[in-house]
Amino acid sequence: MTTGIVFDIKGFALHDGPGIRTTVFLKGCPLRCLWCHNPEGLSPFPQLSVKQTACRHCGKCTVPCSHPDCQPFGRCLHICPSGCISVAGTAYTAEALAEKLYADRDVFAMSGGGVTFSGGEPLLQADFVCAVSGLLHREEIHTAMETCGYASPNVFRRTAEQMDFVIMDIKLADPVLHKQYTGADNGVILENFRWLASCGKPYEIRTPLIPGITDTEENLAAIRNIIGDSKWEKLPYNTLAGAKYGNFGMEYTLEK
Amino acid sequence: MINRTLYTFITEQKHHAWRRPSVPSRAAEYADAGMTPAQRMSARFCEMAAEEAKNPHILPGQKIVLMRTLPNGPDVLTPGEWEEIRKDHFIHESGYISNICPDHISLVKTGFKAARENADPLSAACLDAMSALCASYREEALRTGRVDVAEVLAKVPEYPAETFREALQFFRIVHYGLWLEGDYHNTVGRFDVYMMPWLRHDLDAGILTMTEAEELLEDFFLSFNIDSDMYTGIQQGDNGQSMMLGGRLPDGTNVWNELTEMCLKTSGELKLIDPKINLRVSKDTPLSVYEKGTELTKVGLGFPQYSNDDVVIPALVKLGYDPEDAANYTVAACWEFIIPKVGMEIANIGALSYPLCVDRAVRALEDSADLQDLKIAVAREIRTEAAAIMDKVHDVWFVPSPFLNLLYGGRNIADGAKYNNFGIHGTGISCGADSLAALEKYVFTEKRWTLSQVVAAMDNNFEGEDEMCAALRYEAPKCGRDDLADRYLVYLTEAFSCALAGRKNDRGGIWRAGTGSAMFYLWHAAALPASPDGRRKDEPFAANYSVSIFAKIENPVSVIRSLTKPDLAKVCNGGPLTLEFHDKIFAGEDAITKVASLVQYFIRSGGHQLQLNAVNRDRLLDAQANPEKYRQLIVRIWGWSAYFCELDKEFQDHVIRRQEDVI
């Protein structure tokens, strides 16, 4: 049985592919983009989340409890008066996740939508993603993935072939800058892109516009040069990108 | 093209400079003279119209004229008289007729001259007074060189309207007359059905272009906003100027004409809270219609509100309405389904609090009770509470309205009409259903707590019971995402419907169960201690037919799937599912189509009524701090849209609170 770790499932997703979709956020990412707005997607392991904006610092969650599921986190998950404590990262079997996703099938059919695997990075859990996609296809549900493209070509191709639609990020064209801002070289990403562009699968390229980093004229021109006339969506910088870091005890390092 | 001069004049309220104090109270004089209530209403109408006739104002470029300079008239009865009347009668709200949809068009078609011949003297006096008022506007038009206005007023209201402009002007005169009389929240009805013949006439005759027609309609829509700040209900904006568009006709065909489209377009361009647009749709409605509606939602007006003909028409027929009347339904001020022209229904005469019934049931049971006992007890409490609400209503009495009577062929509408049904709202349904689901899970299945432990914790507002509160509030099954809770939605609506079935009111009508809440979601919640869904004391219920605010359900598809599980035809008094979206969802090229698909999904799933809000919490907070920057910011409250900055802080806070878990 294939299992995966999911940190969120969002219904009525309107910006992750055709139609009304449900987006599954898979936990774990090989990149460390400074501007990442889903910090809970970085680590592959379950993480405690304390919603800072609602926390009243009553300290009730710090009193030791006997719930088995609270033990790994050293906090009580079942006592917060404001409901701010949760765990990001739930294990699902492929069957259980697919079953949950079937629920919205009528609206997928009516709107030409489906399910999008995002993250984190879905390719870090490629076997799981392929298994779920296979189950969804059995029920004629359209599937898509939203990937950073940083995976071995073998994994990338095998998974992309399972999808009806691929959304792929190309953030920076320059390998040095790419390494500097995301922590990884973009050679394999570009190789995967070239395969994607030639394989006949419908796809879309996305670039997050990070002021002074990815939104420079040189970078955008270079990306255009690489992707040719591919469909290209430039996403405005999410000014709330840093908002969630505090919930996970993490620090947002990107200078505004 | 919007007439910006006129638009600015009205939105900047420059015409308020002409406002004067109203006529003096004459209730005591009337009483001394032994005048009947109908005589007093006619006298007050004539006095106010005569005062208004002294002060006609035509705004720059305004084509559809008539404006109030006097606030609402004083009561025609003395407090002592009201006290006497209340001894023998149930008085609904203020006692003046409200919330029905009169036949404006009957007068537009006949003209005052012909109407006067058959009118009783009190109504005829109203017609005379209105004629004189219109004549003074005509003189003002001639004096200021507005020959176009004078020409229209030379024809209407004395003679039937022949052109679209005359019909709009006449409609305005009639609508104005209703407010002047002191009737309130009476609605416009199926405007595109009623008015299309005149538009068609002009277009076919080649005397009007579509652009000219649009300009006239804009002017007409603006006229709903000139005096609307005087028509305050619970808050400003709660004024019942609701308009219905589209939908099935008695012959089974669907209305969708040039006027329907023009109304949607005009409303979106003006971005004003009146008239409030309702759209009738069905499973056959094409996506393009929902797309046009969604364009309006995106503007942030809180409308259109959608009603589903596939659910509402059969529901009304089942309740005993003639099929052709059911096919002509419209909405009352907020959302209650009523029949234009032939109904004198009181669609909001009471409200049943589901959480109250659950509370009573829980307290009536011993710890040895089982789940079945609880369900039976809840049904019993609903029956008892519904009976108490119905028993309180007897000998309903309204102040007669001689002008309004003219729109009902002269009958005294205060005494009733073809349909005299009463509607009861159902408040806090998600609180009630979530409470039962939580009790099923924790008390009866897992046996984690006993009933008496839960009741004790509720009475203590969950002090010292944090774990129980967190479980009930956040971890328990919730309507909108868990089938266990959804089953109680079905159970509660069935129980409510059964509690009213077969009962007659003393006007010969029936009782209808609904899914609305109006202001009762605040009042009923305030009257109750904490509830078994983890709601603390003093927290409101969700408004209308909605999931709990702290259930944190982000997926509207899931909410729709849950809330369409009950047979909504059984609780079809009206009351929409309200979905609120952050306005950022409208970003992206095909967002309109996708949101439109969601509306279509609701309708095809058997939903009865839907209302969507596009909101931005940051803007609301900023507006609270800097109201001067946001005078035109519009929000939806329960059945009406309002200017955010005109609301009391309590209402503002509630609107903001609702947004906290919006996607």
Side-chain angles (χ1 to χ4, degrees), chain B residues 352-543:
Chain B
L352 177 129
S353 164
Y354 288 111
L356 172 70
C357 298
V358 171
D359 186 78
R360 286 177 179 161
V362 169
R363 289 168 193 277
L365 292 177
E366 305 284 332
D367 276 341
S368 56
D370 63 17
L371 181 62
Q372 197 54 29
D373 296 331
L374 174 64
K375 288 168 76 171
I376 291 169
V378 168
R380 185 189 62 228
E381 293 300 338
I382 288 177
R383 240 178 6 254
T384 309
E385 176 65 5
I389 292 168
M390 292 186 281
D391 290 345
K392 261 197 301 201
V393 179
H394 59 88
D395 302 294
V396 177
W397 186 83
F398 286 101
V399 181
S401 301
F403 184 77
L404 177 62
N405 289 348
L406 291 161
L407 307 183
Y408 287 87
R411 84 188 287 164
N412 183 15
I413 190 66
D415 291 342
K418 181 174 179 184
Y419 298 108
N420 301 290
N421 302 323
F422 296 166
I424 304 181
H425 301 318
T427 319
I429 187 156
S430 51
C431 174
D434 290 351
S435 292
L436 292 172
L439 292 171
E440 174 173 340
K441 179 176 160 77
Y442 295 120
V443 174
F444 297 105
T445 307
E446 296 179 3
K447 300 191 191 305
R448 201 160 146 194
W449 296 290
T450 64
L451 266 186
S452 52
Q453 283 174 318
V454 175
V455 170
M458 281 155 50
D459 286 340
N460 254 333
N461 203 20
F462 300 114
E463 284 303 318
E465 290 287 357
D466 296 305
E467 199 169 324
M468 186 196 293
C469 183
L472 297 173
R473 192 174 167 96
Y474 301 116
E475 298 174 7
K478 300 285 174 188
C479 300
R481 71 167 188 229
D482 299 300
D483 187 57
L484 181 68
D486 295 343
R487 291 210 302 269
Y488 286 107
L489 277 182
V490 177
Y491 186 77
L492 290 174
T493 49
E494 295 269 343
F496 186 20
S497 164
C498 287
L500 305 188
R503 290 278 306 240
K504 289 256 174 175
N505 65 48
D506 66 358
R507 290 190 154 207
I510 52 141
W511 293 86
R512 314 190 315 186
T515 48
S517 68
M519 55 290 210
F520 292 99
Y521 74 109
L522 298 171
W523 296 345
H524 280 163
L528 210 61
S531 42
D533 64 337
R535 183 193 64 89
R536 299 189 185 98
K537 189 171 162 33
D538 297 327
E539 287 186 305
F541 306 143

Side-chain angles (χ1 to χ4, degrees), chain A residues 14-15 67 78 81 103-104, chain B residues 467 475 536 554-555 561 587 594:
Chain A
L14 303 189
H15 304 126
H67 309 119
H78 303 294
D104 288 357
Chain B
E467 199 169 324
E475 298 174 7
R536 299 189 185 98
E554 292 180 333
N555 181 1
R561 192 167 50 245
K594 290 176 182 183

